[in-house]
Amino acid sequence: MTSTSSKMTRNQWIRRSAIGLVAVALLAAPAIADDAAEAEAIVRTTVDQVLEVLAIEGLNDDQRRQQIEKIAYDRFDFATISRLVLARGWKRFSPEQREEFVEQFKIQLSKNYGSRIIRYDQERVEIVDHRLERDGDVTVGTRIDGGAADGIEVDYRLRRKDRKEDGPWMVIDVIIEGVSLVASYRSQFAEVLGHEDPSELLKQLREKNTASPT
Amino acid sequence: MNPRGSRLHRLGLLLALVGFLPGCATKGPDPLERWNRSIFSFNEGLDKHLLEPIATGWDWLLPEVVQTGIRNFYDNTTMPVTLANDILQLKLGAAGQDLGRIVVNTTAGIGGLIDVASMIEMPANKEDFGQTLGRYGVPPGPYLMVPLLGPSTARDVWGYPVDGAARPLNYFVPIWASLTLRVVENFNIRAYYLEELREARESAFDYYVFVRNAYLQIREHRVHDRAGQPPELQDDLYEMEGEDAAGQPPESQDDLYEFEDD
């Protein structure tokens, strides 16, 4: 008899906790949706700001790039991006070297991507979807519509600053047609750091940054 | 000369050449790095001294509309390759669309010179035999740099003979004509990417690694039909400590026994 009664309580317990779980899920769902919507809104705003700059007539390339830099610098988390591209190599950098790397890598990205963006001046950008990643990041998918880059898919991966619950969403990777910026630089830096010191990588970075603009 | 015989001969040679590769023990994505790097520098030399200068002249000489026409014509001749692989992957909707493209562009587009289909919202799909194999679970295997033809993998390299067989043009014109078309398209497409490639070369920290990484990422992306990065490639990409990043050379473990300062 005891076994039956304990079975019943177990069933009840299961039922109750199931209801509880559903309730929790229902409560939590809007929060997760809000998260993703917030990240998506940030991408939308940032992209629109950049497109606005591209549409201004009478700016030269340098002025355009500076304005885009100003927008991007608020939205990209260069410290996190730097740690991701250096991966385990990060540990070999001294605090001063790390600081310099973050600064130089920021310049490198601006130089490399900024010069490409300003070439596209007649595009529209539509947000295609967003995806919640397992680690809490959100990936926002966009597609370029019209112009020379028509149909190109650009995904932005965002993470809350310092992974704090109320931290602002910052871009930590740009994935163009499946090619991740972080993965691309990580593989190259791993190669360089495979046979060189951090100081040598920093030297190469500085050289590329000061080379004549392409 | 019997063109079909020579094609089969080429096919046999290629298969013999790569047949052993999937069986190789794989350490990281590039166990053939030494061979690959030497072929890569051979291809690069060829590009710098032959392809790029000709493409530069090409770009200067031919108006954009002619270059676009050549590209459209060539793309239309290779569309049956995509169609065949749509069908092999049972993507029947895409197959219908791509068949429609071929019909529209070959007729309204004057033999393929004008990409009418894209103008009426019939964008091209892009499928090849490497993607078909990937779709059915065949892993890319070792990265493989092919002389003259560029980056590939032990899986994707099968596309050369198999997709070649799916080009109807090969059956209707003599082999020299279809080879000429490919060479022409090579200069043409190279002219299209003059600036992009120059920038990529200049900005890369290791151009070989840059190309390898980009190629492998793009192929994974295409196999999975743009559904984000597959877990194998993503690995620990977005983890801060990145302890076991795939593809890192063993030398980078030399910090293994060092004290961490944070």
Side-chain angles (χ1 to χ4, degrees):
Chain A
M1 294 306 121
T2 30
S3 76
T4 328
S5 72
S6 80
K7 202 173 176 183
M8 278 184 50
T9 28
R10 197 156 59 230
N11 276 341
Q12 275 171 344
W13 185 82
I14 288 170
R15 197 172 303 137
R16 253 182 234 157
S17 43
I19 291 167
L21 274 176
V22 170
V24 167
L26 284 175
L27 285 173
I32 289 169
D34 280 354
D35 249 22
E38 211 182 308
E40 192 179 301
I42 279 167
V43 170
R44 180 78 266 171
T45 323
T46 311
V47 166
D48 284 344
Q49 284 172 331
V50 171
L51 289 175
E52 248 168 69
V53 172
L54 291 176
I56 302 174
E57 288 181 28
L59 288 185
N60 66 30
D61 284 0
D62 270 346
Q63 291 168 319
R64 250 183 245 284
R65 188 148 75 190
Q66 275 167 19
Q67 296 221 16
I68 293 171
E69 263 175 19
K70 232 187 287 167
I71 298 165
Y73 283 1
D74 287 342
R75 290 296 176 210
F76 281 70
D77 184 350
F78 291 102
T80 298
I81 296 172
S82 296
R83 290 191 68 165
L84 293 177
V85 294
L86 287 178
R88 69 174 104 176
W90 176 259
K91 280 185 290 182
R92 287 163 58 191
F93 283 62
S94 72
E96 296 77 31
Q97 284 176 321
R98 289 174 183 178
E99 207 173 309
E100 193 192 349
F101 182 87
V102 174
E103 197 48 41
Q104 292 289 337
F105 192 56
K106 178 168 152 180
I107 297 169
Q108 168 68 20
L109 288 180
S110 161
K111 200 178 143 139
N112 213 344
Y113 286 82
S115 61
R116 278 166 217 205
I117 289 171
I118 52 177
R119 233 181 279 148
Y120 303 119
D121 52 356
Q122 29 182 324
E123 275 84 357
R124 280 159 296 151
V125 174
E126 59 177 301
I127 307 266
V128 181
D129 58 5
H130 60 245
R131 212 171 40 244
L132 254 167
E133 307 290 353
R134 262 171 304 180
D135 59 359
D137 293 354
V138 172
T139 303
V140 179
T142 72
R143 186 167 43 225
I144 297 173
D145 196 14
D150 187 32
I152 299 284
E153 305 202 332
V154 183
D155 291 357
Y156 298 88
R157 190 177 176 115
L158 290 91
R159 177 177 292 178
R160 286 195 184 277
K161 182 107 185 101
D162 301 326
R163 286 205 148 131
K164 287 195 181 112
E165 239 174 82
D166 54 349
W169 285 102
M170 306 283 272
V171 177
I172 60 158
D173 196 9
V174 181
I175 302 136
I176 303 170
E177 287 286 287
V179 180
S180 139
L181 172 160
V182 167
S184 176
Y185 278 107
R186 180 186 278 196
S187 65
Q188 293 180 71
F189 290 158
E191 186 73 26
V192 175
L193 290 173
H195 37 81
E196 306 284 1
D197 285 336
S199 58
E200 169 61 24
L201 181 59
L202 280 169
K203 191 176 134 242
Q204 289 186 20
L205 196 53
R206 277 194 302 268
E207 280 169 6
K208 284 205 190 293
N209 286 343
T210 49
S212 61
T214 50
Chain B
M1 190 176 98
N2 172 7
R4 174 174 272 192
S6 78
R7 228 184 346 264
L8 280 178
H9 183 66
R10 271 189 303 156
L11 191 145
L13 264 181
L14 249 174
L15 296 194
L17 189 71
V18 301
F20 74 99
L21 287 174
C24 286
T26 48
K27 287 180 268 153
D30 196 4
L32 307 167
E33 185 165 347
R34 283 182 77 148
W35 147 277
N36 284 340
R37 274 196 189 262
S38 63
I39 298 300
F40 184 73
S41 66
F42 169 76
N43 286 354
E44 278 290 289
L46 211 63
D47 184 76
K48 271 188 196 126
H49 297 110
L50 196 71
L51 197 52
E52 191 177 23
I54 294 176
T56 307
W58 185 279
D59 193 43
W60 179 81
L61 204 65
L62 295 177
E64 208 179 307
V65 60
V66 176
Q67 296 185 32
T68 309
I70 293 172
R71 200 166 61 243
N72 288 342
F73 179 80
Y74 183 82
D75 285 350
N76 195 46
T77 68
T78 62
M79 220 41 220
V81 172
T82 292
L83 177 60
N85 285 288
D86 285 337
I87 295 168
L88 286 176
Q89 295 179 41
L90 304 176
K91 293 173 180 165
L92 299 181
Q97 196 179 13
D98 291 330
L99 181 63
R101 275 187 67 84
I102 297 171
V103 172
V104 168
N105 281 351
T106 308
T107 55
I110 320 171
L113 289 173
I114 307 166
D115 186 4
V116 181
S118 291
M119 298 173 194
I120 56 171
E121 302 290 312
M122 284 172 81
N125 294 295
K126 187 101 188 74
E127 298 285 354
D128 56 44
F129 192 61
Q131 291 175 67
T132 298
L133 290 175
R135 161 114 176 154
Y136 290 109
V138 178
Y143 179 65
L144 184 65
M145 187 53 71
V146 185
L148 305 176
L149 300 172
S152 191
T153 59
R155 177 192 70 201
D156 293 344
V157 80
W158 290 84
Y160 287 115
V162 176
D163 290 332
R167 291 174 189 223
L169 201 69
N170 287 354
Y171 298 95
F172 295 112
V173 301
I175 188 127
W176 62 262
S178 68
L179 277 179
T180 307
L181 176 67
R182 292 191 82 158
V183 170
V184 164
E185 168 57 15
N186 254 311
F187 292 135
N188 197 53
I189 199 81
R190 185 65 183 80
Y192 188 68
Y193 289 113
L194 276 176
E195 210 165 332
E196 274 81 359
L197 280 186
R198 194 174 47 78
E199 279 178 3
R201 269 184 191 144
E202 274 171 20
S203 63
F205 286 79
D206 184 318
Y207 190 50
Y208 171 82
V209 173
F210 171 82
V211 171
R212 179 182 70 195
N213 181 270
Y215 177 81
L216 293 175
Q217 285 200 70
I218 289 170
R219 294 299 292 175
E220 271 319 287
H221 186 62
R222 293 226 173 118
V223 165
H224 293 84
D225 288 326
R226 314 181 149 201
Q229 292 290 309
E232 313 94 75
L233 250 177
Q234 200 162 48
D235 212 18
D236 60 348
L237 192 58
Y238 298 107
E239 274 166 42
M240 286 290 203
E241 299 316 325
E243 276 306 333
D244 272 304
Q248 297 231 11
E251 305 96 276
S252 72
Q253 276 197 355
D254 58 8
D255 59 348
L256 197 57
Y257 300 110
E258 279 176 21
F259 288 110
E260 292 178 38
D261 48 353
D262 72 350

